[in-house]
Structure formats: C-alpha cells, structure tokens
Amino acid sequence: MFYEAAITTSASTTEAAALFTTLRIDKGIIHQVEIMYPPGVDASTSVQIYFHGNQIFPTNSNANFASGGETISFREFYPVETAP
C-alpha cells in the first residue's frame, strides 16, 4: 500500500505553533519514506514523523528533516502492528 499526504504550511508558521498532520495507515511494514520539499521552500521548514506519540523518523529525538527544493528519501523496515 502507498500513502500520501500533501501538507501546506504558511510562511508564518512557527515551531512554537507547529502544524500537525495525521495520516491513518493500516497494519503492515513501512518500507520507504519520502519527504518532498518544493522549490522555493528553504530549510527552515522541517518534518518529524511520529507513531503512537513517539518520534520514529529521524530516529534521534528532537531532530528533524529539513530541506529546500529536494526530496529526502530512505528505505526502512518499520513494522506497524496496530493501526493508529
């Protein structure tokens, strides 16, 4: 299965008032993660991925993915044994 979520963030969004998006997934294995930043977005826009309240990507807590005009892509093997 493939899941996709388009997230629109305004330039005035701050870390203190972070935007949260929920993507409901079924049981299975997360094999691939891709985070696409469109051209014109600077590295001040960041992403953290959580599952059941725990940060899973990037693995180190309080870190985040940030980029501008690029795609962050990585292979993974993360079992999802219960749907959120």
Side-chain angles (χ1 to χ4, degrees):
M1 289 182 227
F2 294 90
Y3 295 93
E4 178 268 337
I7 303 168
T8 302
T9 305
S10 71
S12 62
T13 302
T14 65
E15 188 173 347
L19 176 67
F20 293 89
T21 301
T22 300
L23 178 62
R24 300 207 178 275
I25 59 175
D26 293 320
K27 291 171 35 174
I29 305 292
I30 297 174
H31 287 285
Q32 179 83 17
V33 176
E34 293 186 352
I35 304 165
M36 295 176 273
Y37 292 88
V41 172
D42 65 14
S44 65
T45 302
S46 62
V47 172
Q48 296 172 318
I49 300 173
Y50 288 78
F51 185 71
H52 288 298
N54 298 309
Q55 182 176 330
I56 59 171
F57 305 121
T59 306
N60 51 322
S61 63
N62 299 321
N64 57 62
F65 295 115
S67 184
E70 298 176 341
T71 297
I72 297 171
S73 179
F74 57 93
R75 302 281 301 154
E76 185 57 58
F77 188 89
Y78 189 89
V80 176
E81 297 180 7
T82 58

